[in-house]
PDB file of all heavy atoms in Angstrom:
ATOM      1  N   GLN A 129     -26.893 -15.067   0.116  1.00 98.00           N
ATOM      2  CA  GLN A 129     -26.074 -14.901   1.317  1.00 98.00           C
ATOM      3  C   GLN A 129     -26.914 -15.017   2.575  1.00 98.00           C
ATOM      4  O   GLN A 129     -26.469 -15.560   3.579  1.00 98.00           O
ATOM      5  CB  GLN A 129     -25.355 -13.548   1.274  1.00 98.00           C
ATOM      6  CG  GLN A 129     -24.416 -13.312   2.440  1.00 98.00           C
ATOM      7  CD  GLN A 129     -23.626 -12.019   2.300  1.00 98.00           C
ATOM      8  OE1 GLN A 129     -23.386 -11.549   1.183  1.00 98.00           O
ATOM      9  NE2 GLN A 129     -23.220 -11.436   3.417  1.00 98.00           N
ATOM     10  N   GLY A 130     -28.089 -14.480   2.550  1.00 98.00           N
ATOM     11  CA  GLY A 130     -29.027 -14.616   3.663  1.00 98.00           C
ATOM     12  C   GLY A 130     -28.845 -13.599   4.757  1.00 98.00           C
ATOM     13  O   GLY A 130     -29.747 -12.796   5.043  1.00 98.00           O
ATOM     14  N   VAL A 131     -27.693 -13.602   5.412  1.00 98.00           N
ATOM     15  CA  VAL A 131     -27.412 -12.673   6.512  1.00 98.00           C
ATOM     16  C   VAL A 131     -25.947 -12.264   6.445  1.00 98.00           C
ATOM     17  O   VAL A 131     -25.153 -12.865   5.727  1.00 98.00           O
ATOM     18  CB  VAL A 131     -27.708 -13.297   7.895  1.00 98.00           C
ATOM     19  CG1 VAL A 131     -29.180 -13.636   8.044  1.00 98.00           C
ATOM     20  CG2 VAL A 131     -26.841 -14.542   8.126  1.00 98.00           C
ATOM     21  N   GLN A 132     -25.598 -11.256   7.190  1.00 97.00           N
ATOM     22  CA  GLN A 132     -24.214 -10.848   7.374  1.00 97.00           C
ATOM     23  C   GLN A 132     -23.749 -11.261   8.768  1.00 97.00           C
ATOM     24  O   GLN A 132     -24.553 -11.348   9.706  1.00 97.00           O
ATOM     25  CB  GLN A 132     -24.052  -9.335   7.242  1.00 97.00           C
ATOM     26  CG  GLN A 132     -24.273  -8.775   5.859  1.00 97.00           C
ATOM     27  CD  GLN A 132     -24.106  -7.264   5.837  1.00 97.00           C
ATOM     28  OE1 GLN A 132     -24.726  -6.555   6.620  1.00 97.00           O
ATOM     29  NE2 GLN A 132     -23.258  -6.776   4.945  1.00 97.00           N
ATOM     30  N   ILE A 133     -22.457 -11.500   8.915  1.00 97.00           N
ATOM     31  CA  ILE A 133     -21.884 -11.706  10.244  1.00 97.00           C
ATOM     32  C   ILE A 133     -20.641 -10.845  10.366  1.00 97.00           C
ATOM     33  O   ILE A 133     -19.915 -10.637   9.394  1.00 97.00           O
ATOM     34  CB  ILE A 133     -21.555 -13.185  10.531  1.00 97.00           C
ATOM     35  CG1 ILE A 133     -20.584 -13.759   9.487  1.00 97.00           C
ATOM     36  CG2 ILE A 133     -22.815 -14.024  10.584  1.00 97.00           C
ATOM     37  CD1 ILE A 133     -20.116 -15.172   9.807  1.00 97.00           C
ATOM     38  N   ARG A 134     -20.407 -10.316  11.544  1.00 94.00           N
ATOM     39  CA  ARG A 134     -19.239  -9.468  11.780  1.00 94.00           C
ATOM     40  C   ARG A 134     -18.897  -9.474  13.262  1.00 94.00           C
ATOM     41  O   ARG A 134     -19.744  -9.740  14.123  1.00 94.00           O
ATOM     42  CB  ARG A 134     -19.481  -8.036  11.295  1.00 94.00           C
ATOM     43  CG  ARG A 134     -20.579  -7.299  12.038  1.00 94.00           C
ATOM     44  CD  ARG A 134     -20.805  -5.889  11.489  1.00 94.00           C
ATOM     45  NE  ARG A 134     -21.308  -5.928  10.132  1.00 94.00           N
ATOM     46  CZ  ARG A 134     -20.682  -5.365   9.096  1.00 94.00           C
ATOM     47  NH1 ARG A 134     -19.542  -4.736   9.275  1.00 94.00           N
ATOM     48  NH2 ARG A 134     -21.201  -5.410   7.896  1.00 94.00           N
ATOM     49  N   ARG A 135     -17.653  -9.166  13.577  1.00 94.00           N
ATOM     50  CA  ARG A 135     -17.209  -9.033  14.954  1.00 94.00           C
ATOM     51  C   ARG A 135     -17.710  -7.714  15.545  1.00 94.00           C
ATOM     52  O   ARG A 135     -17.794  -6.709  14.844  1.00 94.00           O
ATOM     53  CB  ARG A 135     -15.679  -9.062  15.030  1.00 94.00           C
ATOM     54  CG  ARG A 135     -15.055 -10.405  14.758  1.00 94.00           C
ATOM     55  CD  ARG A 135     -13.532 -10.323  14.696  1.00 94.00           C
ATOM     56  NE  ARG A 135     -12.932  -9.663  15.853  1.00 94.00           N
ATOM     57  CZ  ARG A 135     -11.866 -10.098  16.498  1.00 94.00           C
ATOM     58  NH1 ARG A 135     -11.279 -11.231  16.121  1.00 94.00           N
ATOM     59  NH2 ARG A 135     -11.357  -9.438  17.499  1.00 94.00           N
ATOM     60  N   LYS A 136     -17.972  -7.729  16.849  1.00 92.00           N
ATOM     61  CA  LYS A 136     -18.305  -6.478  17.528  1.00 92.00           C
ATOM     62  C   LYS A 136     -17.082  -5.586  17.597  1.00 92.00           C
ATOM     63  O   LYS A 136     -17.158  -4.371  17.385  1.00 92.00           O
ATOM     64  CB  LYS A 136     -18.825  -6.773  18.939  1.00 92.00           C
ATOM     65  CG  LYS A 136     -19.223  -5.533  19.722  1.00 92.00           C
ATOM     66  CD  LYS A 136     -19.830  -5.897  21.068  1.00 92.00           C
ATOM     67  CE  LYS A 136     -20.268  -4.652  21.829  1.00 92.00           C
ATOM     68  NZ  LYS A 136     -20.881  -5.003  23.137  1.00 92.00           N
ATOM     69  N   TYR A 137     -15.932  -6.184  17.908  1.00 91.00           N
ATOM     70  CA  TYR A 137     -14.666  -5.456  17.937  1.00 91.00           C
ATOM     71  C   TYR A 137     -13.777  -5.998  16.819  1.00 91.00           C
ATOM     72  O   TYR A 137     -13.614  -7.206  16.691  1.00 91.00           O
ATOM     73  CB  TYR A 137     -13.978  -5.610  19.296  1.00 91.00           C
ATOM     74  CG  TYR A 137     -14.819  -5.108  20.441  1.00 91.00           C
ATOM     75  CD1 TYR A 137     -15.424  -6.002  21.330  1.00 91.00           C
ATOM     76  CD2 TYR A 137     -15.039  -3.744  20.612  1.00 91.00           C
ATOM     77  CE1 TYR A 137     -16.212  -5.541  22.379  1.00 91.00           C
ATOM     78  CE2 TYR A 137     -15.833  -3.275  21.658  1.00 91.00           C
ATOM     79  CZ  TYR A 137     -16.411  -4.176  22.534  1.00 91.00           C
ATOM     80  OH  TYR A 137     -17.193  -3.712  23.555  1.00 91.00           O
ATOM     81  N   PRO A 138     -13.179  -5.129  16.010  1.00 90.00           N
ATOM     82  CA  PRO A 138     -12.428  -5.583  14.829  1.00 90.00           C
ATOM     83  C   PRO A 138     -11.220  -6.442  15.193  1.00 90.00           C
ATOM     84  O   PRO A 138     -10.684  -6.371  16.299  1.00 90.00           O
ATOM     85  CB  PRO A 138     -11.991  -4.273  14.160  1.00 90.00           C
ATOM     86  CG  PRO A 138     -12.886  -3.223  14.720  1.00 90.00           C
ATOM     87  CD  PRO A 138     -13.238  -3.656  16.106  1.00 90.00           C
ATOM     88  N   SER A 139     -10.788  -7.229  14.241  1.00 91.00           N
ATOM     89  CA  SER A 139      -9.595  -8.049  14.392  1.00 91.00           C
ATOM     90  C   SER A 139      -8.353  -7.209  14.126  1.00 91.00           C
ATOM     91  O   SER A 139      -8.339  -6.378  13.214  1.00 91.00           O
ATOM     92  CB  SER A 139      -9.632  -9.222  13.413  1.00 91.00           C
ATOM     93  OG  SER A 139      -8.368  -9.834  13.293  1.00 91.00           O
ATOM     94  N   MET A 140      -7.281  -7.456  14.891  1.00 85.00           N
ATOM     95  CA  MET A 140      -6.027  -6.733  14.657  1.00 85.00           C
ATOM     96  C   MET A 140      -5.453  -7.079  13.284  1.00 85.00           C
ATOM     97  O   MET A 140      -4.768  -6.271  12.665  1.00 85.00           O
ATOM     98  CB  MET A 140      -5.012  -7.053  15.749  1.00 85.00           C
ATOM     99  CG  MET A 140      -4.515  -8.479  15.769  1.00 85.00           C
ATOM    100  SD  MET A 140      -3.205  -8.701  17.010  1.00 85.00           S
ATOM    101  CE  MET A 140      -2.789 -10.431  16.774  1.00 85.00           C
ATOM    102  N   PHE A 141      -5.747  -8.276  12.793  1.00 85.00           N
ATOM    103  CA  PHE A 141      -5.216  -8.683  11.500  1.00 85.00           C
ATOM    104  C   PHE A 141      -5.923  -7.968  10.350  1.00 85.00           C
ATOM    105  O   PHE A 141      -5.333  -7.768   9.296  1.00 85.00           O
ATOM    106  CB  PHE A 141      -5.316 -10.197  11.337  1.00 85.00           C
ATOM    107  CG  PHE A 141      -4.440 -10.958  12.291  1.00 85.00           C
ATOM    108  CD1 PHE A 141      -4.988 -11.695  13.324  1.00 85.00           C
ATOM    109  CD2 PHE A 141      -3.064 -10.913  12.180  1.00 85.00           C
ATOM    110  CE1 PHE A 141      -4.183 -12.391  14.208  1.00 85.00           C
ATOM    111  CE2 PHE A 141      -2.243 -11.601  13.052  1.00 85.00           C
ATOM    112  CZ  PHE A 141      -2.808 -12.337  14.078  1.00 85.00           C
ATOM    113  N   ASP A 142      -7.190  -7.615  10.545  1.00 84.00           N
ATOM    114  CA  ASP A 142      -7.892  -6.867   9.499  1.00 84.00           C
ATOM    115  C   ASP A 142      -7.190  -5.538   9.241  1.00 84.00           C
ATOM    116  O   ASP A 142      -6.973  -5.148   8.089  1.00 84.00           O
ATOM    117  CB  ASP A 142      -9.346  -6.616   9.910  1.00 84.00           C
ATOM    118  CG  ASP A 142     -10.180  -7.882   9.893  1.00 84.00           C
ATOM    119  OD1 ASP A 142      -9.687  -8.904   9.386  1.00 84.00           O
ATOM    120  OD2 ASP A 142     -11.315  -7.855  10.392  1.00 84.00           O
ATOM    121  N   ALA A 143      -6.836  -4.857  10.314  1.00 76.00           N
ATOM    122  CA  ALA A 143      -6.152  -3.571  10.163  1.00 76.00           C
ATOM    123  C   ALA A 143      -4.755  -3.753   9.588  1.00 76.00           C
ATOM    124  O   ALA A 143      -4.315  -2.986   8.730  1.00 76.00           O
ATOM    125  CB  ALA A 143      -6.089  -2.858  11.519  1.00 76.00           C
ATOM    126  N   LEU A 144      -4.055  -4.798  10.049  1.00 73.00           N
ATOM    127  CA  LEU A 144      -2.679  -5.018   9.624  1.00 73.00           C
ATOM    128  C   LEU A 144      -2.592  -5.317   8.133  1.00 73.00           C
ATOM    129  O   LEU A 144      -1.672  -4.870   7.444  1.00 73.00           O
ATOM    130  CB  LEU A 144      -2.065  -6.163  10.426  1.00 73.00           C
ATOM    131  CG  LEU A 144      -0.567  -6.410  10.267  1.00 73.00           C
ATOM    132  CD1 LEU A 144       0.240  -5.198  10.693  1.00 73.00           C
ATOM    133  CD2 LEU A 144      -0.153  -7.634  11.085  1.00 73.00           C
ATOM    134  N   PHE A 145      -3.586  -6.052   7.611  1.00 71.00           N
ATOM    135  CA  PHE A 145      -3.525  -6.483   6.218  1.00 71.00           C
ATOM    136  C   PHE A 145      -4.578  -5.798   5.342  1.00 71.00           C
ATOM    137  O   PHE A 145      -4.810  -6.213   4.206  1.00 71.00           O
ATOM    138  CB  PHE A 145      -3.663  -7.999   6.130  1.00 71.00           C
ATOM    139  CG  PHE A 145      -2.524  -8.719   6.778  1.00 71.00           C
ATOM    140  CD1 PHE A 145      -2.660  -9.279   8.034  1.00 71.00           C
ATOM    141  CD2 PHE A 145      -1.292  -8.801   6.157  1.00 71.00           C
ATOM    142  CE1 PHE A 145      -1.605  -9.926   8.644  1.00 71.00           C
ATOM    143  CE2 PHE A 145      -0.224  -9.443   6.763  1.00 71.00           C
ATOM    144  CZ  PHE A 145      -0.371 -10.004   8.015  1.00 71.00           C
ATOM    145  N   GLY A 146      -5.195  -4.756   5.864  1.00 75.00           N
ATOM    146  CA  GLY A 146      -6.082  -3.947   5.050  1.00 75.00           C
ATOM    147  C   GLY A 146      -7.376  -4.623   4.644  1.00 75.00           C
ATOM    148  O   GLY A 146      -7.958  -4.295   3.594  1.00 75.00           O
ATOM    149  N   VAL A 147      -7.871  -5.559   5.462  1.00 79.00           N
ATOM    150  CA  VAL A 147      -9.151  -6.215   5.170  1.00 79.00           C
ATOM    151  C   VAL A 147     -10.277  -5.330   5.677  1.00 79.00           C
ATOM    152  O   VAL A 147     -10.333  -4.998   6.865  1.00 79.00           O
ATOM    153  CB  VAL A 147      -9.222  -7.609   5.828  1.00 79.00           C
ATOM    154  CG1 VAL A 147     -10.579  -8.257   5.562  1.00 79.00           C
ATOM    155  CG2 VAL A 147      -8.095  -8.489   5.315  1.00 79.00           C
ATOM    156  N   LYS A 148     -11.175  -4.947   4.778  1.00 82.00           N
ATOM    157  CA  LYS A 148     -12.278  -4.059   5.143  1.00 82.00           C
ATOM    158  C   LYS A 148     -13.581  -4.847   5.177  1.00 82.00           C
ATOM    159  O   LYS A 148     -13.859  -5.633   4.267  1.00 82.00           O
ATOM    160  CB  LYS A 148     -12.379  -2.909   4.151  1.00 82.00           C
ATOM    161  CG  LYS A 148     -11.161  -1.987   4.174  1.00 82.00           C
ATOM    162  CD  LYS A 148     -11.320  -0.824   3.206  1.00 82.00           C
ATOM    163  CE  LYS A 148     -10.091   0.081   3.247  1.00 82.00           C
ATOM    164  NZ  LYS A 148     -10.196   1.217   2.305  1.00 82.00           N
ATOM    165  N   PRO A 149     -14.395  -4.652   6.215  1.00 83.00           N
ATOM    166  CA  PRO A 149     -15.654  -5.397   6.301  1.00 83.00           C
ATOM    167  C   PRO A 149     -16.640  -4.941   5.232  1.00 83.00           C
ATOM    168  O   PRO A 149     -16.591  -3.804   4.748  1.00 83.00           O
ATOM    169  CB  PRO A 149     -16.164  -5.057   7.708  1.00 83.00           C
ATOM    170  CG  PRO A 149     -15.544  -3.735   8.030  1.00 83.00           C
ATOM    171  CD  PRO A 149     -14.196  -3.746   7.361  1.00 83.00           C
ATOM    172  N   GLU A 150     -17.509  -5.852   4.865  1.00 86.00           N
ATOM    173  CA  GLU A 150     -18.585  -5.522   3.928  1.00 86.00           C
ATOM    174  C   GLU A 150     -19.485  -4.462   4.559  1.00 86.00           C
ATOM    175  O   GLU A 150     -19.785  -4.537   5.756  1.00 86.00           O
ATOM    176  CB  GLU A 150     -19.388  -6.792   3.635  1.00 86.00           C
ATOM    177  CG  GLU A 150     -20.533  -6.604   2.671  1.00 86.00           C
ATOM    178  CD  GLU A 150     -21.351  -7.875   2.512  1.00 86.00           C
ATOM    179  OE1 GLU A 150     -21.102  -8.844   3.256  1.00 86.00           O
ATOM    180  OE2 GLU A 150     -22.246  -7.898   1.646  1.00 86.00           O
ATOM    181  N   PRO A 151     -19.910  -3.441   3.813  1.00 92.00           N
ATOM    182  CA  PRO A 151     -20.808  -2.428   4.381  1.00 92.00           C
ATOM    183  C   PRO A 151     -22.057  -3.080   4.976  1.00 92.00           C
ATOM    184  O   PRO A 151     -22.629  -4.004   4.376  1.00 92.00           O
ATOM    185  CB  PRO A 151     -21.154  -1.546   3.176  1.00 92.00           C
ATOM    186  CG  PRO A 151     -20.020  -1.729   2.230  1.00 92.00           C
ATOM    187  CD  PRO A 151     -19.564  -3.150   2.403  1.00 92.00           C
ATOM    188  N   GLU A 152     -22.464  -2.620   6.132  1.00 94.00           N
ATOM    189  CA  GLU A 152     -23.603  -3.224   6.818  1.00 94.00           C
ATOM    190  C   GLU A 152     -24.904  -2.900   6.093  1.00 94.00           C
ATOM    191  O   GLU A 152     -25.149  -1.756   5.696  1.00 94.00           O
ATOM    192  CB  GLU A 152     -23.664  -2.735   8.262  1.00 94.00           C
ATOM    193  CG  GLU A 152     -24.680  -3.476   9.108  1.00 94.00           C
ATOM    194  CD  GLU A 152     -24.544  -3.152  10.584  1.00 94.00           C
ATOM    195  OE1 GLU A 152     -23.663  -2.334  10.934  1.00 94.00           O
ATOM    196  OE2 GLU A 152     -25.303  -3.724  11.387  1.00 94.00           O
ATOM    197  N   TRP A 153     -25.737  -3.900   5.932  1.00 97.00           N
ATOM    198  CA  TRP A 153     -27.015  -3.693   5.258  1.00 97.00           C
ATOM    199  C   TRP A 153     -27.969  -2.894   6.144  1.00 97.00           C
ATOM    200  O   TRP A 153     -28.038  -3.132   7.363  1.00 97.00           O
ATOM    201  CB  TRP A 153     -27.682  -5.036   4.947  1.00 97.00           C
ATOM    202  CG  TRP A 153     -26.923  -5.933   4.022  1.00 97.00           C
ATOM    203  CD1 TRP A 153     -26.038  -5.563   3.055  1.00 97.00           C
ATOM    204  CD2 TRP A 153     -26.996  -7.368   3.978  1.00 97.00           C
ATOM    205  NE1 TRP A 153     -25.553  -6.667   2.393  1.00 97.00           N
ATOM    206  CE2 TRP A 153     -26.128  -7.790   2.930  1.00 97.00           C
ATOM    207  CE3 TRP A 153     -27.706  -8.333   4.684  1.00 97.00           C
ATOM    208  CZ2 TRP A 153     -25.958  -9.134   2.599  1.00 97.00           C
ATOM    209  CZ3 TRP A 153     -27.547  -9.672   4.359  1.00 97.00           C
ATOM    210  CH2 TRP A 153     -26.684 -10.066   3.330  1.00 97.00           C
ATOM    211  N   PRO A 154     -28.735  -2.000   5.563  1.00 96.00           N
ATOM    212  CA  PRO A 154     -29.845  -1.392   6.312  1.00 96.00           C
ATOM    213  C   PRO A 154     -30.878  -2.459   6.675  1.00 96.00           C
ATOM    214  O   PRO A 154     -30.918  -3.535   6.055  1.00 96.00           O
ATOM    215  CB  PRO A 154     -30.428  -0.377   5.324  1.00 96.00           C
ATOM    216  CG  PRO A 154     -29.414  -0.208   4.258  1.00 96.00           C
ATOM    217  CD  PRO A 154     -28.620  -1.471   4.202  1.00 96.00           C
ATOM    218  N   ALA A 155     -31.738  -2.155   7.645  1.00 96.00           N
ATOM    219  CA  ALA A 155     -32.706  -3.144   8.136  1.00 96.00           C
ATOM    220  C   ALA A 155     -33.597  -3.678   7.021  1.00 96.00           C
ATOM    221  O   ALA A 155     -33.868  -4.887   6.944  1.00 96.00           O
ATOM    222  CB  ALA A 155     -33.543  -2.538   9.249  1.00 96.00           C
ATOM    223  N   SER A 156     -34.038  -2.807   6.137  1.00 97.00           N
ATOM    224  CA  SER A 156     -34.927  -3.243   5.061  1.00 97.00           C
ATOM    225  C   SER A 156     -34.202  -4.182   4.097  1.00 97.00           C
ATOM    226  O   SER A 156     -34.772  -5.182   3.636  1.00 97.00           O
ATOM    227  CB  SER A 156     -35.474  -2.032   4.301  1.00 97.00           C
ATOM    228  OG  SER A 156     -34.404  -1.269   3.749  1.00 97.00           O
ATOM    229  N   GLU A 157     -32.953  -3.880   3.814  1.00 97.00           N
ATOM    230  CA  GLU A 157     -32.182  -4.737   2.919  1.00 97.00           C
ATOM    231  C   GLU A 157     -31.866  -6.073   3.588  1.00 97.00           C
ATOM    232  O   GLU A 157     -31.888  -7.129   2.928  1.00 97.00           O
ATOM    233  CB  GLU A 157     -30.882  -4.039   2.513  1.00 97.00           C
ATOM    234  CG  GLU A 157     -30.078  -4.792   1.466  1.00 97.00           C
ATOM    235  CD  GLU A 157     -28.824  -4.047   1.027  1.00 97.00           C
ATOM    236  OE1 GLU A 157     -28.685  -2.853   1.377  1.00 97.00           O
ATOM    237  OE2 GLU A 157     -27.988  -4.668   0.340  1.00 97.00           O
ATOM    238  N   ALA A 158     -31.588  -6.048   4.896  1.00 96.00           N
ATOM    239  CA  ALA A 158     -31.317  -7.286   5.618  1.00 96.00           C
ATOM    240  C   ALA A 158     -32.529  -8.212   5.577  1.00 96.00           C
ATOM    241  O   ALA A 158     -32.399  -9.426   5.374  1.00 96.00           O
ATOM    242  CB  ALA A 158     -30.934  -6.976   7.059  1.00 96.00           C
ATOM    243  N   LYS A 159     -33.731  -7.628   5.739  1.00 97.00           N
ATOM    244  CA  LYS A 159     -34.955  -8.439   5.668  1.00 97.00           C
ATOM    245  C   LYS A 159     -35.129  -9.033   4.279  1.00 97.00           C
ATOM    246  O   LYS A 159     -35.529 -10.192   4.120  1.00 97.00           O
ATOM    247  CB  LYS A 159     -36.169  -7.601   6.040  1.00 97.00           C
ATOM    248  CG  LYS A 159     -37.481  -8.380   6.035  1.00 97.00           C
ATOM    249  CD  LYS A 159     -38.652  -7.499   6.416  1.00 97.00           C
ATOM    250  CE  LYS A 159     -39.943  -8.319   6.467  1.00 97.00           C
ATOM    251  NZ  LYS A 159     -40.232  -9.037   5.211  1.00 97.00           N
ATOM    252  N   GLN A 160     -34.813  -8.250   3.254  1.00 98.00           N
ATOM    253  CA  GLN A 160     -34.958  -8.734   1.884  1.00 98.00           C
ATOM    254  C   GLN A 160     -34.017  -9.898   1.601  1.00 98.00           C
ATOM    255  O   GLN A 160     -34.397 -10.887   0.969  1.00 98.00           O
ATOM    256  CB  GLN A 160     -34.692  -7.595   0.895  1.00 98.00           C
ATOM    257  CG  GLN A 160     -34.989  -7.953  -0.562  1.00 98.00           C
ATOM    258  CD  GLN A 160     -36.444  -8.314  -0.777  1.00 98.00           C
ATOM    259  OE1 GLN A 160     -37.346  -7.543  -0.439  1.00 98.00           O
ATOM    260  NE2 GLN A 160     -36.685  -9.506  -1.309  1.00 98.00           N
ATOM    261  N   HIS A 161     -32.786  -9.804   2.104  1.00 98.00           N
ATOM    262  CA  HIS A 161     -31.833 -10.898   1.909  1.00 98.00           C
ATOM    263  C   HIS A 161     -32.316 -12.176   2.603  1.00 98.00           C
ATOM    264  O   HIS A 161     -32.187 -13.282   2.041  1.00 98.00           O
ATOM    265  CB  HIS A 161     -30.460 -10.506   2.447  1.00 98.00           C
ATOM    266  CG  HIS A 161     -29.653  -9.656   1.512  1.00 98.00           C
ATOM    267  ND1 HIS A 161     -29.022 -10.169   0.405  1.00 98.00           N
ATOM    268  CD2 HIS A 161     -29.380  -8.324   1.520  1.00 98.00           C
ATOM    269  CE1 HIS A 161     -28.387  -9.204  -0.237  1.00 98.00           C
ATOM    270  NE2 HIS A 161     -28.590  -8.062   0.423  1.00 98.00           N
ATOM    271  N   LEU A 162     -32.846 -12.047   3.811  1.00 98.00           N
ATOM    272  CA  LEU A 162     -33.366 -13.212   4.519  1.00 98.00           C
ATOM    273  C   LEU A 162     -34.550 -13.811   3.766  1.00 98.00           C
ATOM    274  O   LEU A 162     -34.645 -15.040   3.598  1.00 98.00           O
ATOM    275  CB  LEU A 162     -33.765 -12.821   5.941  1.00 98.00           C
ATOM    276  CG  LEU A 162     -34.309 -13.944   6.826  1.00 98.00           C
ATOM    277  CD1 LEU A 162     -33.280 -15.059   7.011  1.00 98.00           C
ATOM    278  CD2 LEU A 162     -34.744 -13.401   8.184  1.00 98.00           C
ATOM    279  N   ASP A 163     -35.454 -12.958   3.301  1.00 98.00           N
ATOM    280  CA  ASP A 163     -36.612 -13.435   2.536  1.00 98.00           C
ATOM    281  C   ASP A 163     -36.170 -14.138   1.261  1.00 98.00           C
ATOM    282  O   ASP A 163     -36.740 -15.171   0.878  1.00 98.00           O
ATOM    283  CB  ASP A 163     -37.542 -12.266   2.197  1.00 98.00           C
ATOM    284  CG  ASP A 163     -38.243 -11.682   3.421  1.00 98.00           C
ATOM    285  OD1 ASP A 163     -38.245 -12.357   4.467  1.00 98.00           O
ATOM    286  OD2 ASP A 163     -38.760 -10.551   3.329  1.00 98.00           O
TER     287      ASP A 163
END
């Protein structure tokens, strides 16, 4: 996957249809995914 991407402010459709964002990686895990 390499990196995560997400909106700063959530989408109204995410709430309406129950879409939950992927849990944010800690800094160490984010570096590992990039590596």
Side-chain angles (χ1 to χ4, degrees):
Q129 183 175 333
V131 297
Q132 292 179 307
I133 58 174
R134 64 182 65 239
R135 289 174 52 136
K136 181 176 182 179
Y137 301 107
S139 165
M140 67 175 182
F141 294 110
D142 289 350
L144 189 61
F145 295 102
V147 178
K148 295 182 180 179
E150 180 185 7
E152 189 170 1
W153 298 333
S156 59
E157 186 177 349
K159 182 180 183 304
Q160 187 61 55
H161 279 284
L162 181 60
D163 292 344

